[in-house]
């Protein structure tokens, strides 16, 4: 006994699509389904056949955060380097006299 040749998935999918559309059309013509119900069934089938969009990371990350993709191994950060904390209390140096902008007072009448 010989086995039949493998079927092409694209041909099978097209046959199934046409058969289902024919059945839905027949049920609509017989009055068993309304036009809105047929549209809802077709819309639900399209939604189920569409792959979901890739998820985006949730919340904003803090400074220094490194995102790890699924399946990617975690690599810890090198925390041996000391962190320099800036001195925020220091006042900016005063501008020298030659850099001070002159003030021009003009009376427009």
């Amino acid at each position: 006994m010989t086995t039949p040749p493998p079927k092409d998935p694209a041909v099978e999918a097209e046959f199934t699509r046409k058969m289902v559309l024919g059945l839905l059309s027949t049920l609509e013509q017989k009055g068993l389904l309304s036009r809105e119900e047929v549209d809802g069934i077709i819309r639900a089938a399209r939604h189920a056949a569409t792959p979901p969009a890739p998820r985006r990371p949730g919340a904003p990350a803090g400074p220094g955060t490194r995102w790890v993709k699924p399946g990617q191994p975690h690599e810890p950060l090198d925390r041996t380097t000391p962190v320099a904390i800036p001195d925020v209390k220091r006042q900016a140096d005063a501008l020298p006299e030659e850099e001070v902008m002159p003030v021009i007072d003009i009376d427009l009448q």
Side-chain angles (χ1 to χ4, degrees), residues 35-103:
R35 183 70 187 150
E36 292 78 24
E37 290 171 328
V38 172
D39 288 343
I41 292 170
I42 292 172
R43 195 176 316 112
R46 281 188 183 140
H47 180 70
T50 305
R55 294 186 62 206
R56 298 182 71 173
T65 300
R66 293 179 50 195
W67 293 102
V68 178
K69 295 180 181 178
Q72 181 182 357
H74 171 70
E75 297 175 7
L77 295 173
D78 178 24
R79 299 192 184 269
T80 57
T81 306
V83 178
I85 301 173
D87 184 10
V88 294
K89 294 181 182 176
R90 195 185 88 184
Q91 296 295 324
D93 296 332
L95 293 174
E97 289 296 323
E98 60 271 359
E99 291 187 26
V100 175
M101 299 295 292
V103 177

